[in-house]
Amino acid sequence: MDRIEGRVAVVTGAASGIGRALANTFATAGAHVVLADIEQEPLDAAVQRLRAEGHRVIGVRTDVRSQGDVRRLAEAAMNEYGGVHIVCNNAGVSSGASFSSIPLSTWEWVMDVNFWGVVHGCREFLPLLRDQDEGHVVNTASMSALVTQAPSMSPYVCSKFAVHALSECLDHELRMADERIGVSVIMPGPVLTRMMDAERNRPDGVPAVEPDAARRAWRDGMSDAMRNRGLPPETVAGQVLDAIRTRRFFVLPHPAEALAAVERRLHRMKDAVPAGVLPVGDTTTD
Ligand SMILES: NC(=O)c1ccc[n+]([C@@H]2O[C@H](COP(=O)([O-])OP(=O)(O)OC[C@H]3O[C@@H](n4cnc5c(N)ncnc54)[C@H](O)[C@@H]3O)[C@@H](O)[C@H]2O)c1
């Protein structure tokens, strides 16, 4: 999608962090933006700030866990702008502990936001993108879609693997059908946002998980990573804009770490194959 100016972009999780940076970046590039978030006050503040800069934007309080809410978000976008070209399924949360200590409701919350939120976004917006000359779906996964060595993070890691897989399936299907809708998946390592404070959105009925040794170790590691390698969310948003313009699937804000993670897995898989079984030469089929 060469031209962003005059297009309509919908961003979930737009009141903070990567989502807010995406909304700012699209607006600055001349798009009309629909900001969606579960947190009303920060959402209103983000909308006001963009309007004060002269951008045409609206805000719609949305809980991406709810198919009905995401449908109403799509309807609000259509009522305001008459079409949608870009949808960013970005809202996400994180919670966890050692596997045996994670309540079922925590699994459900993290999967409902991180995975089902993306499913609802893709299902509700795909028909609207098809009505345009071209469109683009952006799903926010994480480096955690490639790396499983993250103590206390099982629900988050599983949800992000699922977002990665869903995005690849969708991209493949749209390319096979020669549709003019691109798909990108974002897989960042540490980005300087409020993600460490994601439990602020923990719904009623989901108990606070007492941080155990694994969780404390994760928090310490994450704080270090943020300090040493944390990217500004605007950097990620700029890379997303470029991926939309060039119809690139992978957005890898920390490319060396992402590729190293994939190579580690490939080596473990190759190690699991008995000697002499692997065919010689290029075996890629994609
Ligand atoms: N920050 C990082 O280091 C990092 C790394 C990899 C991936 N990510 C992913 O980036 C995405 C954005 O997170 P962020 O880092 O900007 O964190 P953030 O906490 O700053 O922003 C997340 C936003 O999602 C919103 N949200 C939470 N639950 C919601 C719901 N049910 N419905 C709608 N909105 C909801 C929050 O209110 C918040 O505004 C997430 O999917 C996260 O998993 C973040």
Side-chain angles (χ1 to χ4, degrees):
M1 187 185 296
D2 286 342
R3 183 173 61 80
I4 303 297
E5 199 177 352
R7 305 292 199 177
V8 177
V10 176
V11 182
T12 69
S16 176
I18 296 171
R20 195 172 64 194
L22 284 169
N24 293 347
T25 299
F26 291 142
T28 304
H32 308 311
V33 186
V34 181
L35 293 87
D37 204 284
I38 198 169
E39 292 190 315
Q40 187 73 61
E41 276 181 33
L43 176 63
D44 291 344
V47 167
Q48 289 314 325
R49 207 164 28 242
L50 283 169
R51 283 190 180 151
E53 290 170 11
H55 300 300
R56 196 173 157 205
V57 302
I58 60 168
V60 183
R61 188 187 176 277
T62 307
D63 182 347
V64 298
R65 294 177 301 159
S66 155
Q67 183 192 6
D69 265 25
V70 178
R71 181 163 294 170
R72 281 184 285 281
L73 170 64
E75 286 165 2
M78 291 301 286
N79 289 340
E80 184 71 16
Y81 299 118
V84 176
H85 304 87
I86 298 167
V87 61
C88 298
N89 298 303
N90 166 76
V93 295
S94 167
S95 179
S98 298
F99 179 83
S100 312
S101 308
I102 302 171
L104 190 58
S105 56
T106 299
W107 275 97
E108 288 168 346
W109 172 48
V110 173
M111 289 302 288
D112 282 352
V113 178
N114 294 7
F115 175 62
W116 282 102
V118 176
V119 173
H120 295 324
C122 292
R123 291 187 75 247
E124 297 300 327
F125 283 95
L126 209 52
L128 307 183
L129 302 187
R130 285 197 168 110
D131 286 341
Q132 305 301 322
D133 57 334
E134 50 185 348
H136 205 100
V137 178
V138 179
N139 294 333
T140 303
S142 166
M143 181 103 71
S144 296
L146 306 170
V147 182
T148 46
Q149 289 83 354
S152 87
M153 293 284 281
S154 322
Y156 185 81
V157 169
C158 293
S159 71
K160 296 303 186 179
F161 261 65
V163 171
H164 177 187
L166 166 65
S167 307
E168 282 195 350
C169 291
L170 185 60
D171 183 50
H172 193 61
E173 200 174 300
L174 294 172
R175 284 182 191 272
M176 291 279 288
D178 224 7
E179 293 207 48
R180 293 169 62 83
I181 300 174
V183 179
S184 296
V185 67
I186 319 177
M187 295 186 163
V191 183
L192 299 164
T193 71
R194 296 190 65 199
M195 185 43 60
M196 296 276 281
D197 187 25
E199 301 225 10
R200 70 191 185 276
N201 282 309
R202 196 163 36 79
D204 293 345
V206 179
V209 184
E210 193 56 40
D212 57 10
R215 191 66 179 170
R216 283 194 296 274
W218 171 77
R219 281 205 155 263
D220 291 349
M222 231 1 222
S223 303
D224 276 355
M226 289 275 186
R227 255 193 316 277
N228 299 330
R229 309 176 269 128
L231 285 177
E234 293 73 21
T235 303
V236 178
Q239 294 177 1
V240 171
L241 191 63
D242 190 53
I244 293 172
R245 286 191 162 125
T246 56
R247 197 172 175 176
R248 198 174 65 249
F249 179 74
F250 283 114
V251 179
L252 303 174
H254 296 84
E257 291 166 53
L259 296 180
V262 174
E263 277 177 4
R264 274 198 304 276
R265 173 170 291 112
L266 186 62
H267 285 309
R268 285 186 73 196
M269 292 174 81
K270 283 186 170 171
D271 284 350
V273 178
V277 172
L278 280 181
V280 179
D282 183 6
T283 57
T284 51
T285 53
D286 197 11

